Amino acid sequence: MRQIFTIFYYTLLRNLRDTGETVLQMVVFPIVLIFILGNALGGTFEQPQIGVSEIGYVRLDQGPVADYFEEFLAGDEIAKLLNVNQVDSRQQGLEMLEDREIVALVELGEDFSQRVMEGKTSPILVTTHPASPFRAMVIENILESFIQGGNTLQALTSMGVEQPEFVFAGGIIEDKSISTTGLTPRAIDYYGVTMMVMMVMYGALYATSGMSSSYLATIGQRIKTTPVRAAQQYIGLVLANVLTVFGQVVVIMAFSGLVFQVNWGDNLPLVLLIALLMVVLAIGLGTMMVMLVQDERRASSIISTITVISTFIAGGYFRVNIPGVAGLIQYLSPNYLAQTAIFNTVYSGPPQQTIIMIAAMLGAIIITFGIAMVAERRAIR
């Protein structure tokens, strides 16, 4: 036990003395990235407001169904979403659409009412601007509600109901606004998590450096001649590197939370536990890599490449959505496992998914350290 503590103490002391790497690269740099990305990309995380959409309206039909349609568009609730501009012709409407004066052009043909009364297909022609797909979807859904009402009238007529009336009844749906504050991350919250996790991945370089010097370099050969057993040396090095990186995590979380108001949630112990597991996983990855390749420079290069790829796949630099089966590749990213578990904890995500992420991290820890120990024993032989 004494030998483990001695190795732990001097390894930790060596890590802390390297202020250039410890303070600048592993603490200051992530904090600066959180500030820059959190402010520069803040607009991409804001919840969009639908507002009122400008539409053009061409009426060539003078029948009663067209009157119903205009009454529908003039309703108070529809007016909150659509501002109807009367247009004289289709050509004028298309020009307004091209100039972005309106986002959609709605047209009723000359025989619209007649075809409806005869039970024939009576299309409402809608032309939308490709630059406004979301507003186009809103407009189409609103018009769809009128069409469903018309279909109901036709069904009642076919059942023998005389002169059914189309009456738009507003106020049926009670609108209650729900604030998204605290339910979804702001940009500063998002990058507070992703940059912290990325820093942890770079913390694997402590393992590549420490294990290389203690096992592969000249000092490592000297240690082998001492009474210190390989397991004691191994445990002492790992514990010191884990404590070093985890201490940096705590500093980043405390600073970002107090200064940038990054939301780390109400269950801080669980967030810290997830972060600790991520630290152990990163140290295990670095240890495994240096033991496999038996070269610090190559191991560090591989770790840096893995960190960049893993951060990208997990959406660390910007949010990504990988559809379909290809999305399963994200589960190979340690960053994704930790980020998902932390976001679920902070923003009340599915607890089952959080458990799966934690279990996957524990599995990865066992695998990395297991491979590292086997490779270390072969290296000693």
Side-chain angles (χ1 to χ4, degrees):
M1 189 66 182
R2 183 177 179 182
Q3 288 86 348
I4 293 177
F5 178 78
T6 301
I7 295 171
F8 166 81
Y9 174 76
Y10 283 104
T11 302
L12 182 63
L13 192 63
R14 182 185 61 187
N15 291 342
L16 296 179
R17 283 177 175 174
D18 190 1
T19 56
E21 180 175 345
T22 301
V23 178
L24 183 60
Q25 296 182 22
M26 301 297 290
V27 177
V28 176
F29 185 59
I31 289 175
V32 171
L33 282 178
I34 293 171
F35 176 78
I36 293 175
L37 295 175
N39 286 277
L41 301 178
T44 61
F45 286 78
E46 293 179 358
Q47 299 299 320
Q49 299 295 325
I50 297 177
V52 179
S53 300
E54 298 286 338
I55 69 169
Y57 174 50
V58 179
R59 175 178 174 175
L60 302 179
D61 177 66
Q62 302 304 319
V65 182
D67 292 335
Y68 289 144
F69 183 65
E70 286 198 0
E71 182 181 349
F72 170 79
L73 293 178
D76 293 336
E77 294 190 14
I78 300 300
K80 295 178 182 178
L81 299 173
L82 302 180
N83 184 31
V84 182
N85 300 272
Q86 294 289 341
V87 179
D88 296 332
S89 65
R90 172 178 172 80
Q91 183 60 35
Q92 179 187 358
L94 293 177
E95 290 176 359
M96 294 175 65
L97 192 63
E98 185 177 355
D99 295 337
R100 303 292 295 276
E101 297 178 25
I102 57 177
V103 296
L105 177 64
V106 179
E107 303 175 65
L108 296 184
E110 294 181 355
D111 58 348
F112 178 74
S113 294
Q114 180 181 348
R115 294 181 65 86
V116 171
M117 302 304 291
E118 293 175 355
K120 298 179 179 179
T121 302
S122 311
I124 298 176
L125 182 60
V126 181
T127 307
T128 60
H129 198 287
S132 305
F134 179 73
R135 290 186 179 274
M137 181 179 63
V138 172
I139 294 168
E140 290 173 1
N141 285 328
I142 292 173
L143 299 182
E144 181 68 22
S145 67
F146 175 82
I147 294 173
Q148 294 299 332
N151 291 339
T152 303
L153 287 180
Q154 284 189 339
L156 291 173
T157 301
S158 64
M159 294 170 60
V161 178
E162 297 182 0
Q163 296 182 344
E165 295 184 6
F166 186 98
V167 179
F168 175 69
I172 296 176
I173 299 176
E174 185 177 354
D175 185 10
K176 291 186 177 181
S177 299
I178 299 177
S179 174
T180 58
T181 303
L183 300 178
T184 58
R186 303 166 298 161
I188 198 74
D189 302 324
Y190 183 82
Y191 288 109
V193 174
T194 62
M195 291 300 101
M196 181 270 288
V197 172
M198 182 185 72
M199 182 280 296
V200 172
M201 281 293 290
Y202 278 115
L205 296 177
Y206 281 109
T208 61
S209 175
M211 291 295 175
S212 175
S213 61
S214 298
Y215 281 89
L216 306 180
T218 303
I219 187 174
Q221 302 301 321
R222 294 177 180 175
I223 292 176
K224 292 177 183 179
T225 63
T226 67
V228 178
R229 289 181 294 178
Q232 295 174 328
Q233 181 184 3
Y234 187 86
I235 294 172
L237 289 169
V238 168
L239 290 178
N241 290 330
V242 167
L243 184 60
T244 300
V245 181
F246 186 67
Q248 296 164 353
V249 167
V250 173
V251 171
I252 292 174
M253 289 179 62
F255 186 91
S256 62
L258 294 173
V259 179
F260 301 151
Q261 303 301 310
V262 171
N263 181 19
W264 293 104
D266 298 326
N267 196 350
L268 192 57
L270 181 55
V271 173
L272 288 173
L273 175 62
I274 295 170
L276 178 60
L277 290 176
M278 182 62 191
V279 171
V280 177
L281 174 55
I283 297 302
L285 182 63
T287 303
M288 178 190 72
M289 200 58 62
V290 75
M291 290 300 180
L292 286 176
V293 301
Q294 297 290 301
D295 183 273
E296 179 184 353
R297 182 173 297 180
R298 287 177 57 197
S300 298
S301 178
I302 294 172
I303 289 295
S304 297
T305 302
I306 291 175
T307 299
V308 172
I309 296 174
S310 181
T311 303
F312 173 78
I313 292 175
Y317 305 116
F318 50 86
R319 289 188 294 185
V320 296
N321 182 21
I322 304 177
V325 180
L328 296 176
I329 194 175
Q330 290 184 308
Y331 287 87
L332 299 178
S333 165
N335 300 57
Y336 180 77
L337 300 178
Q339 289 171 196
T340 303
I342 292 175
F343 283 134
N344 282 350
T345 302
V346 175
Y347 299 102
S348 302
Q352 297 87 351
Q353 187 183 38
T354 304
I355 294 174
I356 291 174
M357 297 298 149
I358 292 176
M361 293 171 67
L362 288 172
I365 290 171
I366 294 173
I367 292 173
T368 54
F369 277 108
I371 295 175
M373 292 179 66
V374 173
E376 180 263 340
R377 290 177 181 176
R378 290 182 178 179
I380 292 177
R381 293 175 185 177

